[in-house]
Amino acid sequence: MWSRTGRSVLVAAAGVVLIGGAAAAATFPDVPPWHWAYDAIAKDQAAGLIIGYPAPPTELIENSLTQVFDSFVHSGAKGAQGWAERFTYNRPANWPAPLTHSVIAAFLFSGMQVAVTGGTATAQFSATVTTRDGKTATSPMRVQLRLSGPDWQVDYSTLSATSPAFR
């Protein structure tokens, strides 16, 4: 088995077991609505062909951060706003303006350190962001998160305080 961003997925069909790393729908936060496989994975989940297995909190926290950044990369895609809202809280009064005006083209995390205390967490890492005009900058990040149902949500105010890409 392997997991792309925090959840392992078991797919069984015609007596053959295949392992995949992405999933969709509410219980699988790995594949956003703009992903090419989203609809097929949602159908397979509804048909009972895939079963998710939970990952440790540190992996789920990194996945939540990935999903927020990826929402900004795909800000014009169908479902991007809802996807960003699923993984954030404490958004600014002018929301969704920061998402709508996103210039993020790509991102990379390094040095991820996560501290979890019950239903809250702090993540410290470096984020290298490339903008649509080709400029790249690396920023140290320190964000707060909370557990909300099955998802870890990023405190948007701590995200925007550490990176101008989210203002």
Side-chain angles (χ1 to χ4, degrees), residues 72-158:
F72 276 71
V73 169
H74 295 93
S75 60
K78 175 185 169 192
Q81 180 178 337
W83 199 251
E85 290 171 358
R86 174 178 172 178
F87 293 100
T88 59
Y89 72 100
N90 201 17
R91 292 177 294 278
N94 68 339
W95 181 260
L99 178 69
T100 304
H101 299 108
S102 174
V103 296
I104 300 175
F107 64 93
L108 176 67
F109 300 148
S110 62
M112 183 71 66
Q113 296 179 348
V114 177
V116 179
T117 305
T120 62
T122 302
Q124 294 185 102
F125 57 99
S126 291
T128 301
V129 172
T130 302
T131 58
R132 290 191 174 100
D133 63 2
K135 295 179 183 170
T136 300
T138 301
S139 303
M141 307 283 293
R142 179 182 163 93
V143 298
Q144 302 297 314
L145 300 98
R146 71 176 182 194
L147 186 59
S148 179
D151 297 322
W152 282 92
Q153 294 180 319
V154 179
D155 180 342
Y156 194 91
S157 69
T158 63

Side-chain angles (χ1 to χ4, degrees), residues 1-10 18-22 30 59:
M1 273 198 223
W2 62 278
S3 174
R4 183 176 66 90
T5 55
R7 299 265 173 133
S8 296
V9 179
L10 176 66
L18 303 171
I19 304 301
D30 298 284
E59 287 181 33

